[in-house]
Amino acid sequence: MDGIMDFSGRSALVTGAGSGIGAACAKALAERGCAKLFLNDISADGIEALALDCEVVPVIGSVADEAMWNALEPQLTGLDHAVVNAGVGGYGAVANLSFAEWRRVMDVNLDGAFLTLRCALRAIKAGGKDTGGKDTGGSVVITASSTGVKPVPMIGPYGPAKAAVAHMARIAAMENAPDNIRVNAIAPGGVDTAIWETGDDFNRSVEAIGRDKTIARMAKTTPLGRFATADEIAGTILYLLSDAGSNITGHVLVSDGGFTL
């Protein structure tokens, strides 16, 4: 398996790479030989802290900024892989949700994912053909969520955005298979990352009983009884990106400890 999970000499784009799943993906790609990484985040601090042993091109800014992607696209020509991962948390009942909050979450989680995917697909297609005349192709994984599969109350803008990006992955897979480009999505359940810290209920619980006990209590909703680590989710994403997953496209892989069962 290790031989076909080798990214030696390849290039990849990872959004939301400054922390959580994105940072774990960046580290794993570098460890498996990726030669060049385009790493996006809204701040350079997290990317600099990774200190990766490969060429890193920081892409600092919001994924919802179309001008940023238009400027970057020529540099990405011949891209091999992309992890469309950047996202923000969003909470609230649909009936009580402000349109401003709805747009804030959709701006990053859906519009930003679309702009990232569009740019990545164009860059991969620009890679040309191999010696046999076949499109060199590549692969993309979009981070969706189990909340885009299973209805969960009080995440009015987040769940719909993640359901939408999962379906966008399926459509893009159908459209780009003739160009030898695979597109999949991963739908994690609970993952112990900083995204939870944008929720008021989570922070109140942390103040009352501490972060570890809060995560442990939330994890009881899953059959496995625990949250995933960012490294675990990154390992699954790399599988889908790699030659090991060469016959998988248009799939939404649920990795949630059994939460959606």
Side-chain angles (χ1 to χ4, degrees):
M1 184 67 73
D2 274 350
I4 50 179
M5 288 277 281
D6 183 5
F7 292 85
S8 294
R10 301 184 189 180
S11 61
L13 164 70
V14 182
T15 64
S19 64
I21 294 171
C25 286
K27 291 176 185 176
L29 284 164
E31 289 168 357
R32 290 187 174 273
C34 206
K36 189 172 186 177
L37 287 172
F38 295 87
L39 301 182
N40 158 265
D41 208 87
I42 56 173
S43 168
D45 294 344
I47 293 172
E48 291 173 358
L50 293 174
L52 301 178
D53 190 22
C54 67
E55 182 181 355
V56 172
V57 179
V59 182
I60 309 305
S62 170
V63 290
D65 181 358
E66 184 178 14
M68 180 186 78
W69 291 115
N70 290 341
L72 180 65
E73 189 175 318
Q75 298 180 54
L76 292 176
T77 297
L79 186 72
D80 296 301
H81 309 287
V83 181
V84 182
N85 170 75
V88 295
Y91 306 93
V94 171
N96 300 325
L97 199 65
S98 71
F99 186 60
E101 174 64 2
W102 173 271
R103 281 302 329 147
R104 181 188 71 85
V105 176
M106 290 294 169
D107 188 49
V108 175
N109 291 5
L110 182 54
D111 298 345
F114 158 71
L115 290 170
T116 307
L117 178 62
R118 184 180 70 174
C119 183
L121 290 171
R122 290 173 176 175
I124 293 171
K125 288 181 180 182
K129 299 181 182 297
D130 61 22
T131 54
K134 185 178 181 180
D135 291 314
T136 51
S139 59
V140 180
V141 175
I142 302 174
T143 303
S145 169
S146 62
T147 62
V149 178
K150 177 179 179 177
V152 176
M154 298 303 295
I155 54 165
Y158 186 83
K162 291 302 186 177
V165 297
H167 201 56
M168 182 169 66
R170 297 185 186 102
I171 292 169
M174 292 288 289
E175 292 173 345
N176 292 278
D179 293 318
N180 198 30
I181 301 172
R182 296 185 297 107
V183 183
N184 292 289
I186 184 169
V191 185
D192 190 359
T193 68
I195 197 169
W196 295 104
E197 294 159 15
T198 61
D200 292 339
D201 288 346
F202 180 85
N203 288 323
R204 281 192 289 268
S205 179
V206 170
E207 288 177 7
I209 63 174
R211 195 178 195 285
D212 289 346
K213 288 184 178 179
T214 297
I215 290 291
R217 185 172 66 183
M218 294 167 66
K220 289 179 181 178
T221 61
T222 69
L224 284 184
R226 67 177 183 86
F227 274 10
T229 67
D231 288 338
E232 286 177 307
I233 301 301
T236 305
I237 289 172
L238 259 66
Y239 170 77
L240 291 173
L241 287 177
S242 75
D243 295 344
S246 61
N247 196 45
I248 303 173
T249 195
H251 185 63
V252 180
L253 196 159
V254 177
S255 178
D256 67 352
F259 175 70
T260 53
L261 290 176

